Amino acid sequence: MAEYDYDLFTIGAGSGGVRASRVAAAHGAKVAVAEEYRVGGTCVIRGCVPKKMLVYGSMFAEELAHAGNFGWTIEGTSFDWASLRDFVNRDVDRLEGLYGQTLSNHHVEIVAERATITGPHSVRLASGREVTAKHILIATGAWPATPEFPGVEHCISSNEIFHLEEQPHCLMVVGGGYIAMEFAGIFNALGSEVTVVNRTDRILRSYDEQIVDRMLHIAMGRGIDFRMHSQIKRVDKADDGCLQVDLGGTYPVKVDQVLIATGRSPNTEGLGLEAAGVELGEGGAIKVDEYNRTSCDSIYAVGDVTDRVQLTPVAIREGHAFADTVFGGKPRTIDYSSIPSAVFSQPPLAGVGLTEREARKTYGDVKVYTSDFRPMKNIFSSHPERGLYKMIVEATSEKILGIHMIGPEAPEILQMAAVAVKAGLTKQAFDDTVALHPSMAEELVLLK
């Protein structure tokens, strides 16, 4: 008889857990994965995928507004939140089914229960069933962090916003990160009055300041009200269902919904990690080594539950590397340098490598090349919005240290530019490349 019930028991069927489980199974391991909510995790069920769909839906407002300049006559347009919401949620259902099918096709057992760790090789399911595994992988992701103030129970997080019964006429978004900026842009485009409350004077702190300043200028021009150096003191629900938000001023701000988007915390509470001596770091994140191993030799962790980079593609790579290392006989690690990322604001921004501030701090002498231009598409719009691309290079060698941009389709363009940064190319490689005209991407080979 086998010493353990499974070779691998994964807790959490998000992007990292699913990839790790199916690859481990492909290597010949007997695998089970426990998921207490829905297969697919944050990204697929209540994160980047449905949010990007909402971005696409909201962009029609801008397109329709200047369709006449393209020669189109469109009459009687209206927006129905329920139609967009339900379409998005139906597609989430479809994707969940595909993720479950992928696991089943690789002979991974799906356990639709909460699982907690009871020892280095043991797990207890919510039903009371005890199972053992040679290796345990924790891939439980992260959860919205909620500040404490009176009336916080009247507020919602990014988990609930996809299921609102009605579109809020007035929405307050609390936070200055990418989740806050993306939902602020979505509902602003859909016609809601949006107020962003941030406790400091900086938003999107990990992105290049010049690019963020451009985004902030554009967002304000589109009507988003930013309240910097502000924090919620309390929220009271009025008899008419509206929320009275006290920001410390003379009069409270009246809104329909308050969205708390102040970051995400590793989802480790109640997992029983102490039973196996799994060490936690700051904020409850699981500490792991370069091979995703925790302080307990038989337990590993990948994705947002760790103290590394909270991005879906990173979790997927970590899960794959874990499975190859432990079950495939091919030990490998992840390189966390030059990871591209984007904010699907309106317009979107994206960046890879060092920001200008980081580059000057690290290298001292750097050169910065920019292109400040009005995208051709924006000529048809009433908004005089300009795109901005910038490239930071080491002064002597002109090796590219970072590329950052804001403008239509910036994330799509940056993905290929990120290859150049990762490969260690110089600006000369861009200068030697013939421009693809007319396009926005050609600005990357015309930087001055």
Side-chain angles (χ1 to χ4, degrees):
M1 294 181 64
E3 184 179 358
Y4 301 104
D5 297 321
Y6 301 97
D7 298 309
L8 172 65
F9 193 95
T10 301
I11 304 177
S15 298
V18 167
R19 175 62 66 90
S21 297
R22 76 165 181 81
V23 174
H27 285 313
K30 183 181 180 183
V31 183
V33 55
E35 174 55 58
E36 64 177 317
Y37 182 53
R38 300 178 69 179
V39 174
T42 295
C43 182
V44 173
I45 304 300
R46 49 180 177 261
C48 41
V49 171
K51 183 172 55 184
K52 186 70 178 290
M53 293 182 193
L54 292 184
V55 170
Y56 283 137
S58 67
M59 288 171 63
F60 274 92
E62 176 77 4
E63 302 291 336
L64 291 171
H66 56 258
N69 292 330
F70 287 96
W72 291 91
T73 299
I74 302 175
E75 300 177 351
T77 60
S78 62
F79 173 71
D80 180 59
W81 161 254
S83 296
L84 175 60
R85 178 202 63 204
D86 293 348
F87 176 84
V88 169
N89 286 322
R90 283 196 301 272
D91 204 61
V92 167
D93 293 341
R94 179 185 67 85
L95 291 172
E96 181 187 13
L98 291 176
Y99 269 67
Q101 183 178 331
T102 295
L103 290 172
S104 297
N105 288 345
H106 285 81
H107 307 291
V108 176
E109 180 183 343
I110 302 173
V111 181
E113 296 183 52
R114 179 175 176 82
T116 55
I117 293 172
T118 55
H121 298 280
S122 59
V123 171
R124 179 182 295 115
L125 303 178
S127 61
R129 175 187 166 203
E130 295 271 357
V131 298
T132 60
K134 185 175 182 180
H135 301 284
I136 297 172
L137 175 67
I138 303 168
T140 49
W143 198 254
T146 304
E148 294 184 5
F149 55 79
V152 69
E153 68 274 9
H154 301 308
C155 306
I156 62 173
S157 73
S158 56
N159 288 351
E160 294 80 40
I161 201 163
F162 296 104
H163 306 282
L164 293 178
E165 287 296 319
E166 298 179 353
Q167 177 189 346
H169 175 68
C170 297
L171 173 68
M172 177 175 288
V173 180
V174 182
Y178 72 95
I179 297 175
M181 293 305 104
E182 289 171 343
F183 280 116
I186 289 168
F187 284 94
N188 169 255
L190 293 176
S192 299
E193 294 180 13
V194 178
T195 301
V196 175
V197 174
N198 191 40
R199 61 185 178 87
T200 70
D201 62 352
R202 285 192 61 191
I203 59 174
L204 302 174
R205 300 177 69 89
S206 64
Y207 288 87
D208 187 88
E209 292 179 35
Q210 187 178 4
I211 300 296
V212 173
D213 286 345
R214 178 63 58 89
M215 192 225 71
L216 185 59
H217 177 78
I218 292 174
M220 293 172 65
R222 291 193 176 200
I224 297 178
D225 179 21
F226 286 85
R227 306 286 185 94
M228 301 299 193
H229 294 293
S230 297
Q231 287 182 275
I232 293 180
K233 306 299 181 183
R234 65 177 298 117
V235 174
D236 295 297
K237 192 166 187 176
D239 293 338
D240 61 359
C242 290
L243 302 179
Q244 304 280 358
V245 184
D246 180 5
L247 296 176
T250 305
Y251 301 102
V253 180
K254 186 176 181 180
V255 297
D256 300 314
Q257 290 282 355
V258 176
L259 168 63
I260 304 295
T262 51
R264 298 175 64 81
S265 300
N267 198 10
T268 54
E269 187 175 352
L271 281 180
L273 300 176
E274 64 282 355
V278 175
E279 186 178 352
L280 301 182
E282 186 177 353
I286 296 176
K287 289 185 175 182
V288 292
D289 65 14
E290 59 182 339
Y291 291 102
N292 303 293
R293 191 194 300 265
T294 72
S295 54
C296 177
D297 286 346
S298 59
I299 299 179
Y300 295 74
V302 298
D304 292 1
V305 76
T306 69
D307 54 356
R308 297 173 293 187
V309 181
Q310 290 192 345
L311 289 173
T312 295
V314 174
I316 291 172
R317 289 201 170 212
E318 289 172 350
H320 202 136
F322 154 77
D324 283 348
T325 298
V326 178
F327 298 101
K330 297 178 291 185
R332 62 187 184 92
T333 61
I334 302 299
D335 180 4
Y336 293 95
S337 64
S338 299
I339 296 174
S341 63
V343 180
F344 294 97
S345 49
Q346 301 191 31
L349 61 89
V352 62
L354 300 180
T355 65
E356 182 177 347
R357 178 188 289 270
E358 291 168 341
R360 292 191 184 281
K361 183 178 180 180
T362 303
Y363 289 87
D365 193 11
V366 300
K367 294 179 183 178
V368 179
Y369 297 92
T370 62
S371 177
D372 192 332
F373 63 100
R374 189 179 187 188
M376 182 184 294
K377 185 178 180 182
N378 286 1
I379 295 173
F380 294 88
S381 171
S382 59
H383 296 299
E385 298 172 355
R386 300 181 65 82
L388 176 62
Y389 293 0
K390 66 186 296 186
M391 178 185 290
I392 301 105
V393 304
E394 197 274 324
T396 303
S397 67
E398 290 217 331
K399 176 184 176 182
I400 303 170
L401 303 176
I403 297 177
H404 309 274
M405 57 179 64
I406 182 171
E409 306 300 338
E412 304 291 343
I413 297 169
L414 183 90
Q415 177 65 82
M416 292 311 298
V419 176
V421 178
K422 189 69 173 177
L425 299 186
T426 65
K427 183 178 183 297
Q428 191 62 47
F430 279 71
D431 294 342
D432 292 342
T433 303
V434 176
L436 193 162
H437 181 76
S439 69
M440 291 177 290
E442 71 177 309
E443 297 297 331
L444 283 173
V445 301
L446 302 173
L447 293 167
K448 301 295 184 183

